[in-house]
Amino acid sequence: MNKKIIIANWKMHPNTLAEAESLYHFSCDSCIAGGNNAEVIVCPPFVYLEALSKIESSTGLGAQNCHWEQEGAFTGEVSPVMLKQFGVKYVILGHSERRWKMNEDDEMINEKMKAVLNNDMTPILAVGERKKDEDREHILIDQISKNIGGIDREDIDKIIIAYEPVWTISTTKDKEKETPEHALEAFKIIKDILNKLIGEEINIPILYGGSVDSKNVGSFVSKPEIAGVLVGGASINKEEFGKIIEIVSGIKS
Ligand code: PGA
């Protein structure tokens, strides 16, 4: 039985190392309190990775981005080789805030996917439509086929996909939130795309992300097709994140 996965995307928070360490300790303790029944992966800003990698825990450490080259003249960038030495096992790639705010295109994301896999880390590929009324099947086909194009067959099984409809990210309005039923239609589309692209049945974890909190996490994670959640805002709120871990830890796959 696979554990459900919870990925904490801290984005550009918190402001101090002391707060980052405190939040990380809290997340680790919450995992233990949940009997380690959920797989928790924390993705802090780069600058906190070294300090957090020294804290012994069952919590996985991830990064929120990386460059596709091993090293070179790329001012301001961080390479997969650099991340690896701090115990980073996962890298979020293709997050909507990087696609739309930092102008990352599908080709760049594809290069990053290959670089992360070549460095024995797991890419967490975020995909999803920007607006609620967009043709999401068309968008998902386009993103996934371009983002995983040219990846070796054996590496496909190492990928995690996060379906994050961009219109649901960081919202408190109920009408802008995704329902598990509507999300599941996208999960089916993603699975069909993968099977078609690879030419055989592919069973990699597909997570849901977009305003996940302690109130709605159970309704998503209780669906067998949903392997876990990618949590942004609620992951930097101790009370909320503690509840999310507690709820997910109690759900069996
Ligand atoms: P949110 O962010 O949970 O704050 O909506 C999710 C994400 O952007 O990964």
Side-chain angles (χ1 to χ4, degrees), residues 6 9 45-46 51 59 70 77 95 114 121 128 142 152 157 163 166 172 206 240 244 247 249:
I6 306 171
N9 176 14
F46 291 137
T59 306
Q70 308 279 79
E77 293 290 333
H95 190 280
K114 291 177 189 159
M121 296 182 290
D142 196 52
D152 292 343
D157 293 327
Y163 171 59
V166 185
T172 48
I206 308 176
E240 266 297 292
I244 288 173
I247 293 164
S249 300

Side-chain angles (χ1 to χ4, degrees), residues 224-242:
E225 297 90 335
I226 301 184
V229 280
L230 176 45
V231 188
S235 73
I236 51 163
N237 174 327
K238 284 184 185 168
E239 199 185 332
E240 266 297 292
F241 199 54

Side-chain angles (χ1 to χ4, degrees), residues 47-63:
V47 289
Y48 299 139
L49 285 170
E50 182 178 7
L52 301 187
S53 71
K54 292 180 180 150
I55 299 172
E56 207 176 304
S57 81
S58 56
T59 306
L61 206 51

Side-chain angles (χ1 to χ4, degrees), residues 9 11 95 97 164 168-170 210-212 230-233:
N9 176 14
K11 308 195 181 188
H95 190 280
E97 285 151 18
E164 293 208 302
T168 69
I169 291 182
S170 305
S211 297
V212 171
L230 176 45
V231 188

Side-chain angles (χ1 to χ4, degrees), residues 42-100:
V42 175
C43 303
F46 291 137
V47 289
Y48 299 139
L49 285 170
E50 182 178 7
L52 301 187
S53 71
K54 292 180 180 150
I55 299 172
E56 207 176 304
S57 81
S58 56
T59 306
L61 206 51
Q64 299 173 17
N65 178 35
C66 75
H67 199 268
W68 57 84
E69 293 288 349
Q70 308 279 79
E71 63 177 328
F74 300 101
T75 303
E77 293 290 333
V78 170
S79 81
V81 185
M82 295 170 188
L83 294 176
K84 232 171 98 165
Q85 63 195 303
F86 295 120
V88 170
K89 300 260 176 351
Y90 304 85
V91 185
I92 300 173
L93 295 174
H95 190 280
S96 58
E97 285 151 18
R98 298 213 57 89
R99 287 180 192 264
W100 315 120

